[in-house]
């Protein structure tokens, strides 16, 4: 491990105020790492810099709220001169012009939460033309690190799917029928979380049959509606994998309304780690929640600081997402967002 | 009825300053002998009425430049036009459709599909990358046109169905969105989307050229006049011997083609066939067209108005970013509010020319 | 081919033809126009009864009705608006607004919260109505503003947060049943009857249709056009708010960010598939209900057979076109 | 232009023929085995009652409807027009009954739609188009700025534009469905001149009109339809007028002779001393310029004037359909503060609008609903409409006005023009108004119905109603009105009363007001 892992990272099992901070995985040392020189960016004092943050989706779900808030808080804490924030409202073209707008307004360092893994190239080009480093968070882009962008901070969505599969296998004993509540169609996150889950189940628990894959569009009410249909048509379902907490919670509502016990009759595993889901977990209505940690502020600015301190930054700074289960849910509640 | 005047739509439109009324709907030139020359003031008024959006656009640009120095930069202009160019191409087709009294809700999905197909086909070179999306998207437009023009179905519902259908095709073509086709870097096709002239990307120039051609076709050809007639009164157009059904088929096909072209150019710019594009784009296009003074009931409108409408939307977007850290929810509220103000202002500027 | 007449030109028509041309119902386009939706609903039910496991069970049918109830309620309001040759894109936002207000005011009791939520819907309707009737904006644009801004406002009110509902009275609205029929379904059915009565038998209802049929004539005939138009949009907004309340109660959470997204399209589809023309001048209430049920059954079928999203969307597109095609108005010529 | 020899009317070869044509609509047989032939150089009258099938026959001839039976022959060759476009290609040019132009487009664009003059670049040459349109219209006595949107013109002017369009193509056949129904005598003369020119060019003309004297002036042959059936074809010369009417109505001559042709009684009415309605200085920029008039209970006041003189505007203003800049309207001693349609109806003013398609009927609604439309609040209790009361009203008026519909539930859009007009009349009469403003009440109404409506006007005035009658039919105005106010350019130009109400006197006042066509700029969309 290089010196990239943060020393002040909180012990994840502690349920106190510092809980929920991100921890990094041992860095991927295969890449050469990126330095100020190789990237070709001018030196900068973050304190006197204009920093831009491009959010991808509306701050209308816990993940995005927590993510934006964390960046804002950390910027204030560090005392950057000015933090510009934009929101692409789920429109990729808007994210491109958002980034261009911030560049035109004099942003000197950019933190971008990409809406999609592909398609941001024009924005990166514009930043490169102005020699403004771009740090991407939460979603990896298909571009060249240390050239198109500085580095990626975030989770591995395929891995999240795999861990969800592990949790599901454990909860169901590797047998039975599972349904997947997919995220929005065409979305990278959906694709990755599905791939990880399906691959791992095929590999490890051939007796666990995936009997339905229907989209709940990452929304609670859609998750509920799909679940209601499945309860009627596939009463043999014993497990539900929801690709985010909201759909998982929708499934719980649907199960309860139909007189089934979520968490017992039907095992539920979801991804995210929102407060509501961890609460449900603590109540025994869920079986596991794989965390996807949104609090990128401290890590992002720390990485930036290091970059300007001439340290080498690895291509991927993967964070270790926690896993909540029924046992640790209660005390981990403080760390949920 | 407690209206302050008997200001029903018929009457309301008639209460406007009559001096300004005879502004021709076409951009017909000079005043004919035998009729009074309008004074300079009247001309100006007529111009403002015809180009109400342009007035609003210029006002917004002026105010924004004064408030935010970075707004008036060339860089910013390049960014704004780059973003606007794709919507502009889509809105051009929408303008033609709306002038015939129809609507095309499928453009957003078709735009996305066009992009995916272009990216996929770009591995075989520039020509396939343009032809494949044009063929498929043109075919979708043709289906719209046939169902609307020949079978007489309502445009709203037909294109709502193709909105779903085109999105479904896109998902089927990309393994439910799991596959993203990439445009080979450095290919001629990628250059088409990303190359610049004086810092303006090529799609901006293409959009301008298309608007030029579109304006000519609309105002100066029989086909264009036919669009107005079909929109103004479909029955009358039939009785006057215009090929109404054929006109409708053509106009929806054109709309599909333009949406596909815009999608392809966009894919070239993004160098990938992004699967999540175009959601809600039809509403942006419709807003732009209507802000541009084209009547949704058909029969009146201009492509230049649409161009200003698209730019106005882009400028407002840009302005919201200039204002800075506005919460995303507030951003929606502001956009909605802006929309009302602009449309109401535009309507009151142009009211002399209208009747419902 | 343009609307081929059912009787081929040149076919010998009996010289003293009877006033009503005798044509078996299955060859009469008017019949399909009138009953097409119901036949389609029946056909889809039959198809599922044969093909889909556990479809014709009370539980399943109840589930379908419960799910379709909010759409029906919104579509009823939409049908009235469409009857005036308008359209309301802001219904989803009105639902979100109602949902956002509920948890804020539940502290004052259920009734005040409900009244406030409904009022929010009425106000969105009022804004739409004034923009359409007084400012003279075209309905799509007038309601587009609240479509964009309304949800933003809802999110501002809710601070972007989804809130769990714990008020048992409100929750029971979503789960309670009367004589085995869920209250949500009863409300939707009652509303459908009320709207049918409104359209067929009240001055207001007939004025709606007349305004949609010929606005100028309605003005000259002294109809209170502005008042009726505003009233229609207010009704539509209020219905949407009611749907938002019921959906919230069923979800056990107030979710302004996603509740009612795309509802405008579902509602319009239901109305149009149900045989109400978008050109105004007529309102088919029962048809609207059937249209909503048809689309619901279709969605259910697709989910139950676990078709991927791509196939599902293409199938929906095809069914919409087919339904509208069969029920199209064939101009005799 | 000298008419060709009267001895050879319609002697040319047949250009357009219909053989055994049949056309059914749901519930109606509009045409039943109708044969018709049209020869080059003839003016062929097509007559019949409202709903006899004249317009339907024309629509079959011009490709709007496809016949259920029979065939069409063009110059002897069987043809099947799939759409109007093909008929026009084949040289059949038509002016349809309801003006069918595009309201929002300019006059010139309407005239040249589909065959615009192009420049070298194949683009439309607007200056040339406007110039040519202006010249063309000038020939028809219409002086308007060709760039004006069509809808800003009065109905009569629109009719002239349609005429100009139809005649300016080099057609073999020109079909005119009631072209004079909204024209003034002056325009009618222009039209006749044009028809003579067409005849001289060997063009065949089909001419539909309910005005008998017109037929006798210009038509060579006549075809009579009744209830969709062909009754008679023959030269018009020598056909007694009463006999023609009796063929149209299907009643025998004696009966027709006894009833007379106009429905007005010979003597005037006893008007009350005090007026029910007085209008004082009605002014609206560029349209009305101080119109004052008073209407007494029990009288018929005629409103005369040339095309565009502001008669319709006056009526509309009184009925609240047009906002005024200044002026005062008093009804039964009470000043109307704000005139809206509802307020006018409340005060007892009813107006039958001029343009029944655009401002009158709701085509998708039934006869019943169209009749009760304005009276809905009166026929309902607590906002709920009483079906029984509706039916009563509808039954009374359908009978009284002899509305011909398959049932009260038939859609008004499917009725013939004349019957639509009667439905509208019923709508206003069932409000039991004090003041009835009739803007061209007999426009497009057949002889029988016209007499009925005229009789009805008489009767209503006799019952104490105050009637304002606007009519382009001079004869109707003279015979129907007790007093006539003449307007010129939106201002009163004279008044005829008592014995002075004669045709020569009226024509004199009109002639005085004729030569100043208003500058186009001053007009206003309405
Ligand atoms: N589109 C239609 N649908 C149904 N019925 C129709 C339609 N058009 C005409 N009719 C019916 O056909 C008959 C003939 O109508 P048509 O318009 O030809 O009469 P007309 O002789 O032109 O009368 P008018 O003198 O009043 O214009 C009428 O009974 C009318 O109701
Ligand atoms: N020949 C003409 N030349 C110029 N303008 C005309 C002509 N005829 C009509 N107009 C315009 O049409 C408008 C409407 O006139 P309108 O027809 O309502 O008057 P009117 O007296 O009721 O005549 P009518 O009802 O016979 O058509 C007028 O403002 C006038 O400017
Ligand atoms: Mg007729
Ligand atoms: Mg008139």
């Amino acid at each position: 491990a290089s010196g990239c892992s943060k020393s002040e990272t909180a012990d994840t099992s502690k349920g106190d105020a510092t809980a929920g901070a991100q921890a990094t995985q041992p860095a991927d040392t295969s890449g050469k790492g990126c330095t100020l020189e190789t990237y070709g960016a001018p030196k900068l004092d973050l304190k006197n810099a204009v920093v831009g943050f491009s959010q991808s989706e509306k701050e209308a779900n816990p993940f995005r709220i927590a993510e934006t808030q964390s960046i804002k808080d950390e910027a204030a804490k560090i005392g950057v001169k000015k933090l510009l924030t934009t929101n692409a409202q789920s429109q990729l073209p808007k994210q491109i012009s958002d980034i261009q707008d911030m560049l035109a307004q004099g942003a000197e360092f950019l933190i971008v939460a990409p809406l999609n893994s592909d398609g941001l190239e024009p924005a990166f080009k514009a930043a490169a033309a102005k020699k403004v480093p771009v740090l991407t968070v939460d979603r990896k882009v298909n571009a060249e690190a240390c050239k198109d962008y500085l580095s990626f901070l975030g989770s591995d969505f395929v891995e999240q799917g795999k861990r969800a599969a592990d949790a599901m296998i454990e909860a169901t004993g590797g047998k039975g029928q599972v349904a997947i509540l997919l995220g929005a169609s065409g979305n990278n996150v959906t694709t990755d979380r599905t791939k990880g889950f399906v691959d791992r189940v095929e590999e490890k628990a051939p007796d666990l049959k995936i009997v339905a894959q229907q989209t709940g569009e990452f929304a609670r009410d859609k998750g509920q509606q799909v679940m209601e249909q499945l309860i009627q048509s596939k009463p043999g379902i014993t497990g539900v994998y929801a690709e985010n907490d909201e759909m998982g919670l929708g499934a719980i509502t649907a199960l309860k309304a139909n007189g089934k016990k979520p968490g017992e009759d039907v095992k539920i595993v979801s991804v995210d780690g929102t407060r509501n889901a961890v609460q449900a977990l603590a109540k025994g209505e869920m079986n596991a929640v794989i965390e996807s940690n949104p609090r990128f502020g401290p890590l992002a600015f720390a990485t930036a600081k290091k970059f300007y301190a001439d340290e080498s930054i690895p291509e991927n700074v993967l964070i270790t997402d926690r896993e909540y289960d029924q046992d640790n849910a209660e005390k981990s509640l403080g760390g949920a967002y | 009825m407690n209206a302050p005047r008997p200001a029903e739509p018929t009457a309301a439109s008639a209460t406007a300053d009559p001096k300004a009324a005879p502004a021709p709907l076409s951009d017909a030139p000079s005043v004919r002998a035998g009729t009074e020359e309008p004074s300079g003031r009247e001309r100006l008024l007529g111009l403002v009425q015809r180009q109400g959006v342009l007035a609003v656009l210029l006002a917004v640009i002026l105010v924004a430049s004064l408030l935010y120095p970075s707004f008036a930069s060339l860089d910013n202009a390049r960014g704004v036009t780059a973003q606007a160019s794709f919507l502009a191409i889509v809105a051009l087709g929408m303008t033609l459709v709306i002038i015939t009294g129809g609507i095309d809700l499928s453009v957003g999905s078709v735009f996305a599909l066009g992009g995916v197909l272009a990216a996929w086909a770009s591995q075989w070179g520039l020509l396939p990358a343009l032809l494949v999306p044009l063929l498929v998207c043109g075919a979708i437009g043709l289906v719209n046109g046939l169902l609307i023009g020949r079978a007489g179905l309502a445009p709203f519902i037909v294109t709502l169905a193709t909105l779903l259908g085109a999105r479904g095709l896109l998902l089927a073509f990309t393994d439910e969105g799991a596959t993203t086709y990439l445009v080979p870097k450095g290919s001629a096709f990628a250059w088409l989307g990303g190359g610049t002239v004086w810092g303006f990307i090529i799609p901006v120039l293409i959009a301008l050229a298309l608007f030029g051609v579109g304006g000519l076709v609309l105002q100066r050809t029989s086909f264009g006049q036919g669009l107005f007639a079909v929109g103004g009164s479909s029955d009358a157009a039939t009785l006057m011997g215009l090929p109404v059904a054929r006109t409708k088929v053509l106009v929806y096909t054109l709309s599909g083609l333009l949406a596909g072209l815009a999608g392809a150019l966009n894919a070239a710019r993004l160098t990938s066939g992004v699967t999540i594009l175009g959601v809600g784009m039809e509403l942006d296009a419709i807003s732009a067209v209507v802000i541009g003074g084209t009547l949704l009931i058909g029969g009146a409108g201009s492509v230049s108005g649409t161009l200003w409408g698209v730019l106005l939307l882009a400028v407002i977007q840009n302005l919201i970013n200039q204002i800075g850290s506005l919460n995303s929810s507030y951003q929606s509220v502001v956009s909605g509010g802006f929309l009302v103000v602009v449309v109401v202002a535009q309507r009151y500027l142009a009211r002399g020319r209208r009747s419902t | 081919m343009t609307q081929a007449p059912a009787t081929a030109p040149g076919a010998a028509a009996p010289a003293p033809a009877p006033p009503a041309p005798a044509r078996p119902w299955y060859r009469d386009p008017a019949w399909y126009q009138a009953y097409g939706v119901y036949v389609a609903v029946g056909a889809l039910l039959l198809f599922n009864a044969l093909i889909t496991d556990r479809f014709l069970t009370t539980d399943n049918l109840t589930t379908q009705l419960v799910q379709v109830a909010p759409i029906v309620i919104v579509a009823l309001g939409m049908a009235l608006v469409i009857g005036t040759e308008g359209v309301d894109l802001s219904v989803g936002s009105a639902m979100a607004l109602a949902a956002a207000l509920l948890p804020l005011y539940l502290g004052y009791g259920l009734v005040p919260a409900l009244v406030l939520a409904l009022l929010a819907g009425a106000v969105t309707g009022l804004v739409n109505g004034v923009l359409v009737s007084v400012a003279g904006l075209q309905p799509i644009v007038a309601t587009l503003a609240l479509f964009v801004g309304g949800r933003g406002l809802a999110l501002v009110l809710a601070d972007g947060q989804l809130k769990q509902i714990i008020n048992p009275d409100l929750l029971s609205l979503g789960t309670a049943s009367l004589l085995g029929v869920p209250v949500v379904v009863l409300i939707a059915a009652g509303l459908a009857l009320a709207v049918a009565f409104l359209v067929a038998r009240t001055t207001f209802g007939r004025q709606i249709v007349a305004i949609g049929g010929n606005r100028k004539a309605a003005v000259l005939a002294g109809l209170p056009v502005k008042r009726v138009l505003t009233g229609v949009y207010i009704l539509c907004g209020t219905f949407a708010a009611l749907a938002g309340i019921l959906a919230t109660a069923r979800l056990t959470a107030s979710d302004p960010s996603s509740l009612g997204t795309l509802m405008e399209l579902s509602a319009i589809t239901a109305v149009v598939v149900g045989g109400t023309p978008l050109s105004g001048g007529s309102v088919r209430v029962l048809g609207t209900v059937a249209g909503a049920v048809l689309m619901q059954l279709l969605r259910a079928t697709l989910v139950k057979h676990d078709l991927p999203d791509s196939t599902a969307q293409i199938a929906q597109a095809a069914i919409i076109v087919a339904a509208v095609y069969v029920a199209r108005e064939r101009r005799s010529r | 232009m000298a008419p060709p020899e009267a001895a050879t009317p319609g002697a040319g070869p047949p250009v357009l023929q219909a053989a055994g044509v049949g056309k059914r609509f749901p519930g109606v047989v509009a045409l039943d085995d109708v044969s018709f032939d049209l020869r080059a150089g003839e003016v062929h009258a097509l007559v019949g009652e409202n709903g006899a099938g004249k317009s339907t026959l024309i629509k079959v001839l011009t490709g709007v409807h496809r016949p259920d039976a029979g065939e069409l022959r063009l110059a002897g060759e069987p043809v099947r027009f799939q759409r109007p476009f093909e008929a026009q290609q084949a040289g059949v040019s038509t002016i349809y009954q309801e003006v069918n132009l595009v309201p929002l487009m300019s006059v010139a664009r309407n005239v040249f739609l589909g065959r615009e003059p192009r420049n070298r670049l194949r683009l439309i040459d607007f200056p040339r188009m406007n110039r040519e349109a202006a010249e063309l219209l000038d020939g028809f006595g219409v002086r308007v700025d060709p760039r004006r949107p069509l809808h800003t013109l009065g109905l009569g002017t629109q009719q002239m534009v349609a005429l100009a369009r139809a005649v300016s193509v080099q057609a073999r056949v020109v079909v005119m469905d009631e072209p004079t129904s909204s024209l003034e005598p002056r325009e009618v003369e222009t039209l006749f001149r044009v028809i003579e020119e067409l005849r001289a060019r060997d063009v065949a003309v089909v001419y539909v009109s309910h005005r008998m004297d017109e037929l006798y002036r210009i038509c060579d042959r006549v075809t009579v339809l009744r209830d969709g059936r062909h009754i008679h074809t023959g030269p018009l010369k020598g056909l007694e007028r009463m006999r023609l009417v009796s063929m149209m109505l299907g009643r025998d001559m004696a009966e027709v002779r006894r009833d007379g042709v106009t429905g007005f009684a010979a003597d005037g009415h006893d008007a009350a001393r005090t007026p029910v309605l007085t209008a004082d200085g009605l002014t609206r920029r560029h349209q009305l310029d101080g119109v004052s008039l008073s209407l007494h209970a029990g009288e018929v006041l005629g409103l005369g004037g040339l095309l565009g003189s502001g008669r319709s505007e006056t009526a509309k203003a009184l009925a609240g359909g047009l906002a005024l800049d200044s002026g005062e309207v008093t009804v039964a001693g009470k000043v109307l503060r704000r005139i809206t349609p509802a307020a006018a109806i409340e005060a007892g003013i009813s107006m039958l609008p001029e343009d029944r398609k655009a401002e009158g009927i709701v085509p998708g609604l039934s006869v019943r609903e169209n009749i009760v439309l304005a009276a809905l609040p009166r026929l309902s209790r607590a906002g709920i409409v009483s079906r029984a009361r509706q039916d009563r009203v509808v039954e009374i008026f359908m009978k009284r006005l002899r509305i011909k519909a398959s049932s009260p539930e038939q859609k008004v859009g499917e009725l013939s023009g004349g019957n639509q007009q009667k439905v509208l009349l019923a709508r206003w009469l069932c409000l039991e108004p004090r003041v009835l403003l009739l803007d061209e009440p007999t426009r497009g109404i057949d002889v029988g119905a016209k007499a009925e409506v005229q009789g009805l006007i008489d009767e209503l005035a006799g019952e104490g109603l105050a009637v304002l009658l606007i009519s382009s039919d001079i004869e109707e105005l003279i015979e129907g009105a007790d007093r006539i106010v003449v307007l010129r350019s939106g201002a009163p130009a004279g008044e005829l009363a008592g014995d002075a109400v004669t045709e020569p006197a009226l024509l004199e006042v009109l002639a005085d007001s004729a030569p100043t066509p208003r500058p186009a700029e001053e007009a206003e969309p309405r």
Side-chain angles (χ1 to χ4, degrees), chain D residues 221-445:
Chain D
R221 290 198 303 156
V222 63
T223 291
V224 182
L225 296 182
R226 187 169 73 229
D227 292 335
R229 260 174 275 237
H230 178 253
I231 300 296
H232 169 87
T233 298
L236 197 56
K237 216 172 173 188
L239 181 64
E240 199 188 333
R241 190 162 159 161
M242 285 300 162
R243 184 157 158 62
L244 183 58
V245 173
S246 86
M247 280 195 288
M248 286 163 57
L249 301 185
R251 284 188 276 163
D252 65 50
M253 294 248 289
E255 221 178 301
V256 174
R257 196 163 277 142
R258 192 188 62 234
D259 292 351
V261 180
T262 65
F264 290 115
D267 46 344
H269 310 99
D270 302 321
R273 297 274 120 216
T274 50
V276 205
L277 176 146
T278 49
D280 201 19
L282 304 183
T283 301
R284 181 182 157 82
R285 270 182 88 185
H286 305 297
Q287 287 187 317
L288 295 178
D289 184 10
V291 175
S292 301
L293 48 83
S294 58
L295 254 175
H296 301 254
E299 79 166 340
V300 178
L301 173 66
L303 202 53
L306 295 176
L307 213 59
S309 58
R311 296 164 302 167
S312 296
E313 274 88 354
T314 304
K316 260 199 184 154
L318 291 176
L322 191 72
L324 286 172
D325 297 334
S326 67
E328 200 173 72
V329 177
T330 316
V331 181
K334 273 221 302 272
V335 179
L336 291 187
R337 255 189 341 104
R338 252 192 339 242
I339 322 176
T340 62
I345 290 171
E346 187 60 35
I349 304 175
S350 281
M351 182 193 66
L352 185 76
E354 173 183 28
D355 188 344
R356 71 169 161 257
K357 185 176 165 193
E359 307 181 319
I361 59 164
V362 186
L365 292 190
S366 66
V367 171
R368 173 174 60 82
E369 299 209 81
N370 268 281
I371 291 179
V372 300
L373 186 64
L376 273 178
R378 300 174 193 207
L379 298 176
S380 46
R381 216 171 271 137
I384 295 167
V385 192
S386 154
R387 183 63 192 264
R389 283 157 85 180
Q390 271 187 43
D391 286 343
R392 225 166 23 244
V393 169
V394 170
E395 199 193 319
I396 292 171
F397 281 98
M398 283 188 70
K399 234 189 232 145
R400 183 164 172 193
L401 303 185
R402 288 199 225 162
I403 294 172
K404 200 162 138 193
S406 62
S407 89
E409 302 309 318
Q410 190 179 3
K411 282 187 183 176
V412 161
E414 294 169 0
L415 296 190
S416 76
N419 279 303
Q420 291 179 355
Q421 188 75 335
K422 290 187 194 169
V423 168
L424 288 183
L425 207 52
R427 176 190 295 171
W428 295 110
L429 289 178
C430 77
L431 289 174
E432 298 173 345
R434 271 193 278 210
V435 179
L436 191 57
L437 313 175
L438 302 173
D439 198 351
E440 309 282 2
T442 59
R443 187 175 152 244
I445 290 196

Side-chain angles (χ1 to χ4, degrees), chain D residues 4-69:
Chain D
E5 285 171 79
T8 57
V15 255
L16 187 61
Q17 284 169 291
V21 165
K23 179 73 196 168
R24 289 189 302 198
F25 293 112
V28 202
V29 182
L31 292 178
D32 182 6
D33 193 21
V34 172
S35 295
F36 175 82
D37 76 302
L38 185 66
R39 299 179 198 157
E42 77 164 340
V43 180
H44 195 132
L46 188 59
V47 298
E49 278 185 291
N50 291 135
K54 305 179 295 292
S55 298
T56 306
L57 177 59
I58 285 172
K59 287 182 177 169
V60 166
L61 290 177
T62 58
V64 179
H65 293 320
R66 271 177 266 173
D68 301 334

Side-chain angles (χ1 to χ4, degrees), chain B residues 332-353:
Chain B
S332 312
V333 178
V334 172
S335 315
F338 243 120
L339 192 63
V340 174
V341 172
V342 168
V343 181
V344 171
Q346 203 268 344
R347 172 161 171 97
Y348 277 90
L349 280 175
R351 67 190 159 168
R353 306 190 294 125

Side-chain angles (χ1 to χ4, degrees), chain D residues 93-115:
Chain D
S93 176
T94 315
I95 307 165
Y96 294 95
Q97 182 169 8
E98 308 292 347
V99 178
N100 268 295
L101 297 173
V102 186
L104 281 175
M105 295 179 84
S106 75
V107 172
R109 297 209 287 173
N110 266 294
V111 170
F112 286 108
L113 197 59
R115 52 192 176 89

Side-chain angles (χ1 to χ4, degrees), chain D residues 142-144 148 152-157 184 287 306-313 354 440 518 523 526:
Chain D
V142 179
R143 251 170 246 136
V144 290
R148 262 175 74 176
T152 62
L153 301 181
L155 209 53
T157 321
E184 286 307 309
Q287 287 187 317
L306 295 176
L307 213 59
S309 58
R311 296 164 302 167
S312 296
E313 274 88 354
E354 173 183 28
E440 309 282 2
R518 278 189 278 156
R526 44 180 208 166

